[in-house]
Amino acid sequence: MSGSSGSAFPFPLKNTVSDIDRAVIEQLLLDGRVTVSHLAERIGTTPTTAKLHLETKLAGGGVTVVGLVDPSLLNRPMLAYLTVHTLAAADVVASRLADTDDTEWIAATTDLNTVICRISCRDSAALVAFVDDKVRPLDGVRSVTIHSILRWFPTPYSSLGTPPEGRSAVTWTSNSAPDRLPRIDATDRLILESLQDNGRASLTSLAAACGLSVPATRQRFLHLQDRSIVQIHCCISPELFGFEVGATLRVVCLSNSTDTARSLARLPEVTWVTQLSGEYDLAVEVQCRDTAHLSDVYRQVVTMPEVGETELHQYDSVVKSLFRWSH
């Protein structure tokens, strides 16, 4: 079987992942929209077998293919973390928040009284309205702290998926200036919204979403991809690597926060680094094998000379993860 050397994997996959599934995932890392026929040829199996394993992994086997789009292009440039302090069990509040449209990612923490939530909104007024109208009134919510996200820094293994060589993941600054954004129209936006939900959406389904013919839709899609307005990215569940423990570290920087963010983004366990407004300068998301591994990563971060006060939130459960403005 060709293409299964594992060189594209950020970490070794668990031994329970079969050779053919490893090969399928590796090809998705290289090309998230690889066709079944090309997949079968590359991994040395039949199209029927390739299709079966591909569909199994995408249907709940720990692999998601998404289209990465700057949220400013989708009229949702205001990005924020919410720290929700609860009176009731945090997982109950987290589940209620998961039903709201603006939430992109939600985790309940192991202290059982904190929920961390990432959201995207149209503007600051929409952000405040979301918090006041949909979060604070929830049963069990005691208080909410808003941290606006100012900038995101790519990591080598963002969402535990490795971009092909020579391609970086999408980067953005929150509330990007309109004159710096690429020009797209309403039809492009419909295609991007569909790809954001499913990076492997067929040209037929994209055509139905945007109202164009399939050839015209294909031309639009290729144009968007060539301009890096959308990048197709394969995200791998951390459990496939044996990474069962996740956490967010919030960091106060003692020197240049941009340099510190870039240093932290190079750590292999780090999957997100964002620059924040408020008490903490950075939010750093990590995935680890177990609590001992998390402790090692935490000690590595807090002993960096440019890192000051640090707050650790270990996840008890992640109840929503849409990868919409993952990288």
Side-chain angles (χ1 to χ4, degrees):
M1 181 181 299
S2 62
S4 58
S5 65
S7 59
F9 297 129
F11 300 98
L13 289 169
K14 293 172 67 174
N15 291 334
T16 52
V17 181
S18 68
D19 287 344
I20 192 167
D21 282 339
R22 291 168 189 264
V24 168
I25 296 171
E26 183 174 272
Q27 292 305 315
L28 287 172
L29 287 171
L30 297 172
D31 178 6
R33 291 180 64 86
V34 62
T35 65
V36 170
S37 59
H38 285 153
L39 177 63
E41 180 181 349
R42 292 173 188 175
I43 67 176
T45 190
T46 66
T48 300
T49 300
K51 182 179 180 180
L52 174 63
H53 283 264
L54 174 64
E55 291 180 347
T56 300
K57 300 313 294 179
L58 293 175
V63 175
T64 306
V65 177
V66 296
L68 306 180
V69 184
D70 186 328
S72 297
L73 292 171
L74 301 178
N75 296 324
R76 303 180 70 84
M78 177 57 64
L79 309 170
Y81 274 102
L82 305 181
T83 304
V84 182
H85 301 283
T86 69
L87 298 169
D91 59 341
V92 175
V93 173
S95 296
R96 291 169 180 162
L97 278 173
D99 293 331
T100 59
D101 293 335
D102 293 311
T103 54
E104 312 279 359
W105 177 93
I106 303 171
T109 66
T110 53
D111 68 5
L112 305 181
N113 290 299
T114 306
V115 175
I116 301 174
C117 177
R118 288 200 306 261
I119 69 171
S120 62
C121 297
R122 182 180 65 256
D123 51 33
S124 56
L127 171 60
V128 172
F130 174 78
V131 173
D132 283 344
D133 299 341
K134 296 185 179 180
V135 184
R136 296 189 199 276
L138 286 176
D139 289 342
V141 171
R142 178 167 60 88
S143 64
V144 183
T145 303
I146 303 173
H147 305 272
S148 294
I149 294 175
L150 306 175
R151 194 179 181 192
W152 171 80
F153 295 83
T155 68
Y157 307 128
S158 300
S159 300
L160 298 180
T162 307
E165 186 176 355
R167 268 182 46 193
S168 63
V170 173
T171 62
W172 42 258
T173 300
S174 187
N175 270 330
S176 300
D179 59 348
R180 295 186 179 182
L181 293 173
R183 293 184 181 276
I184 64 171
D185 60 18
T187 300
D188 290 331
R189 191 169 289 113
L190 289 171
I191 294 172
L192 294 174
E193 288 173 349
S194 295
L195 289 169
Q196 184 177 235
D197 290 332
N198 177 11
R200 289 185 59 83
S202 69
L203 290 172
T204 301
S205 65
L206 292 177
C210 72
L212 296 179
S213 67
V214 170
T217 301
R218 181 178 184 277
Q219 185 176 17
R220 289 264 189 162
F221 166 71
L222 292 175
H223 187 55
L224 291 168
Q225 193 173 39
D226 289 344
R227 295 164 65 198
S228 295
I229 292 173
V230 62
Q231 292 186 20
I232 306 302
H233 187 67
C234 177
C235 304
I236 308 173
S237 170
E239 286 77 17
L240 288 182
F241 297 103
F243 283 10
E244 306 289 342
V245 175
T248 291
L249 287 72
R250 290 183 180 156
V251 173
V252 172
C253 298
L254 301 180
S255 57
N256 186 292
S257 62
T258 298
D259 292 342
T260 304
R262 288 172 175 156
S263 295
L264 290 167
R266 286 192 287 268
L267 298 178
E269 293 85 359
V270 171
T271 57
W272 287 78
V273 178
T274 47
Q275 217 162 21
L276 304 176
S277 64
E279 179 183 3
Y280 291 94
D281 300 304
L282 304 174
V284 182
E285 295 185 23
V286 299
Q287 292 288 344
C288 299
R289 291 184 297 276
D290 48 34
T291 54
H293 187 193
L294 176 60
S295 296
D296 289 342
V297 174
Y298 179 74
R299 282 192 293 271
Q300 188 174 357
V301 171
V302 299
T303 55
M304 294 172 64
E306 60 268 45
V307 168
E309 182 180 350
T310 304
E311 180 181 79
L312 174 67
H313 293 281
Q314 183 178 334
Y315 310 147
D316 179 62
S317 61
V318 175
V319 301
K320 187 174 185 179
S321 183
L322 297 182
F323 298 109
R324 282 190 180 164
W325 45 277
S326 61
H327 21 284

